[in-house]
Amino acid sequence: MVNQPQILDETTHRLNLDFLHHYPFKSARHLENISAQDAAEVLQAQPVFVAHNLWHFLPAGSADQIFTHLNTEFASQLLKVLDSHVAVTLLSRVSDEMQNSLLSTLDAADSDLANELRELLEYPEDTAARLMTTRVNAFYEDMDVAAVLCKLKQLKQVSPDVVYVINANQQLVGECTLAELIIAEPDDKLNTLAKPISTFLSALDNKETVIEKFEGYRCNAIPVMDSHNQLIGLIRFFDVYETTKEDLASDMQTMVGASKEEKALSSSWFAVKKRLPWLQINLLTAFAASAVVGAFENLIAQITALAILLPVAAGQSGNAGAQALAVTMRGLTLREITPRHWLKVMSKELVAGLLNGIAIAVTCSIAVYLWSGSFGLALVMAIAMVTSLAIACTAGAIVPIALKKFGMDPAQSSSIVLTTITDIVGFLSFLGIALLMSDMLPKG
């Protein structure tokens, strides 16, 4: 008699396999919502091709966490089928002990792949070599189409849709697409189909150069060359899109003092270690802003309405500065701007701050006049709004550009720096103007 629990287990396994295989995107979303250990157990119970199909649907943070919980055998099998740049990224994010264990396991099964991954790990992070895939199709220029298609079929793997053409000296001379090969005559030679290479990358080119090349040439893939001008890989547009998306997510964290290494499922102690230093720095800057208010203690004591309106002045300048910071950070991350555009960006934000300041000043001064009945207090608020928003927007543009110019990460806690500036500017402009116009303000 067949064991009923065994039948249920087999049925569950088959249903999991069918769902994971045919609905990789939905499967990835589900795996995100369970613990990394449970997700790893689900994947390990399936053939490795199932994990491979859905892996690129997993966000970087979730993928890293799940990978660390995979057993060595399954993880090494997964590395064999993933693109080389994905495999190297995963290896670079695990502990040295796990990395050595995986490479040793790969040595026994595929020593060429293990050596290739070791070589790629030696390249600095954020270089073209760490973004490229080494699975390229390169054929000699005198080969005919029929022979090339036969070779591609023998590979029995999904290949990039670009084929590179090399000469007898292994020099890259052109490229053509798989679609062009399919519609060509079988006896056509590659050198008659190949188009000139529009651009290429060096293995040590940084990520900024990679993104600039893709933006400038609008191509789907760019070949990567070594120091001897030999073809060693290619970078696809999709890979650049993925890494840029991850950069944007990381920048969102670093702008507010959180570490790039911290994930949503990181331990509380890890979060405290990474966040506390910046919180302490923020505390010091808050005392600096408080010192500005303290300098006007006597004025506030005489005109108590100023204390009520202080948060309005600081809040508006803070919001305006944060808007300028977000737009500038996006431009730097997507390489729409560089530090040499600082004057143009600053001028644009200055004008935007002035115009927004005037519009906000009109609304705010009317509200203050209706509340206090004091024309002087409304005028002080209006002037302070225009001044503080103009300076805050300018600072929001300059802070990340300045950090970039000095070789620092433009996202590194720029929000904390900007908050200090906007608080001080908001308080100083409002209270300073109030002091100059104190004769027009109501006492008490």
Side-chain angles (χ1 to χ4, degrees):
M1 187 174 182
V2 180
N3 191 334
Q4 191 169 3
Q6 184 178 354
I7 295 176
L8 290 174
D9 289 342
E10 291 178 359
T11 304
T12 301
H13 175 75
R14 290 179 181 178
L15 288 173
N16 282 341
L17 174 60
D18 189 67
F19 184 79
L20 292 168
H21 178 51
H22 292 98
Y23 304 97
F25 177 77
K26 290 183 178 179
S27 300
R29 297 288 77 79
H30 173 71
L31 293 176
E32 280 184 73
N33 294 325
I34 62 178
S35 70
Q37 186 172 356
D38 290 341
E41 291 178 0
V42 170
L43 291 178
Q44 287 171 168
Q46 311 300 329
V48 70
F49 74 85
V50 174
H52 174 239
N53 288 341
L54 63 80
W55 198 263
H56 69 276
F57 291 112
L58 290 170
S62 298
D64 296 345
Q65 292 288 331
I66 294 172
F67 186 76
T68 58
H69 286 87
L70 296 174
N71 62 50
T72 303
E73 181 181 355
F74 191 88
S76 60
Q77 291 177 359
L78 182 60
L79 291 175
K80 290 174 64 176
V81 297
L82 289 172
D83 285 341
S84 54
H85 75 283
V86 178
V88 168
T89 300
L90 288 172
L91 284 172
S92 67
R93 292 174 176 172
V94 299
S95 65
D96 292 341
E97 182 181 356
M98 184 175 181
Q99 185 183 113
N100 293 331
S101 175
L102 289 170
L103 290 173
S104 298
T105 303
L106 281 175
D107 270 327
D110 191 339
S111 59
D112 290 340
L113 175 60
N115 291 331
E116 178 185 320
L117 293 177
R118 286 191 180 94
E119 290 178 6
L120 292 175
L121 283 168
E122 291 178 1
Y123 284 101
E125 290 189 24
D126 293 336
T127 58
R130 295 290 284 268
L131 294 173
M132 73 181 183
T133 176
T134 55
R135 291 178 182 172
V136 294
N137 298 318
F139 300 97
Y140 289 107
E141 59 185 345
D142 59 352
M143 290 184 66
D144 57 44
V145 171
V148 172
L149 291 176
C150 182
K151 287 281 188 182
L152 290 174
K153 289 180 180 178
Q154 290 174 359
L155 292 175
K156 295 186 181 300
Q157 64 182 23
V158 178
S159 302
D161 62 355
V162 60
V163 171
Y164 292 110
V165 183
I166 57 177
N167 60 22
N169 295 321
Q170 302 286 318
Q171 300 295 315
L172 187 62
V173 296
E175 64 181 9
C176 59
T177 65
L178 290 178
E180 291 170 335
L181 287 177
I182 291 172
I183 64 175
E185 295 297 328
D187 56 350
D188 285 347
K189 300 295 183 183
L190 282 185
N191 55 11
T192 64
L193 298 174
K195 296 174 293 186
I197 300 294
S198 56
T199 187
F200 66 90
L201 290 159
S202 169
L204 292 176
D205 283 341
N206 59 36
K207 191 185 293 184
E208 292 183 5
T209 303
V210 174
I211 295 175
E212 287 174 1
K213 286 285 183 77
F214 272 100
E215 288 182 343
Y217 290 91
R218 300 290 178 179
C219 44
N220 292 325
I222 298 179
V224 181
M225 319 291 279
D226 64 11
S227 57
H228 303 290
N229 285 327
Q230 300 290 313
L231 178 66
I232 59 173
L234 66 84
I235 299 178
R236 296 166 298 192
F237 174 79
F238 175 79
D239 301 325
V240 174
Y241 165 76
E242 286 294 311
T243 189
T244 303
K245 184 171 68 173
E246 186 178 345
D247 283 348
L248 285 171
S250 297
D251 288 348
M252 289 172 61
Q253 294 184 190
T254 53
M255 282 173 63
V256 292
S259 169
K260 285 185 177 182
E261 292 78 24
E262 184 182 340
K263 309 300 180 185
L265 296 177
S266 298
S267 69
S268 299
W269 176 240
F270 183 86
V272 170
K273 287 193 299 182
K274 295 297 183 179
R275 298 181 194 179
L276 185 58
W278 287 105
L279 290 175
Q280 297 284 16
I281 293 172
N282 191 41
L283 181 62
L284 293 176
T285 60
F287 277 121
S290 298
V292 172
V293 178
F296 295 90
E297 182 180 358
N298 292 333
L299 178 65
I300 295 173
Q302 296 174 18
I303 309 170
T304 55
L306 296 178
I308 299 172
L309 296 175
L310 266 179
V312 178
Q316 284 299 107
S317 61
N319 288 336
Q323 290 174 337
L325 175 65
V327 172
T328 306
M329 275 301 310
R330 178 185 181 276
L332 288 171
T333 302
L334 297 179
R335 279 71 183 181
E336 296 172 346
I337 59 171
T338 63
R340 69 174 181 270
H341 298 108
W342 70 272
L343 184 58
K344 186 175 182 180
V345 176
M346 185 187 72
S347 301
K348 170 242 183 177
E349 292 297 342
L350 175 60
V351 173
L354 285 171
L355 295 177
N356 280 331
I358 292 170
I360 294 296
V362 172
T363 306
C364 188
S365 59
I366 293 174
V368 170
Y369 180 77
L370 293 175
W371 169 70
S372 65
S374 169
F375 175 78
L377 193 59
L379 183 61
V380 167
M381 200 67 187
I383 298 173
M385 280 295 171
V386 176
T387 304
S388 60
L389 261 68
I391 296 175
C393 287
T394 305
I398 290 300
V399 167
I401 291 178
L403 290 172
K404 181 77 172 178
K405 180 67 175 177
F406 291 114
M408 301 169 66
D409 184 355
Q412 186 62 55
S413 298
S414 51
S415 178
I416 292 176
V417 176
L418 180 64
T419 299
T420 304
I421 296 173
T422 55
D423 281 351
I424 291 176
V425 167
F427 293 149
L428 192 59
S429 61
F430 178 59
L431 295 174
I433 294 169
L435 181 63
L436 294 174
M437 302 175 62
S438 59
D439 292 340
M440 299 177 60
L441 302 181
K443 301 296 188 291

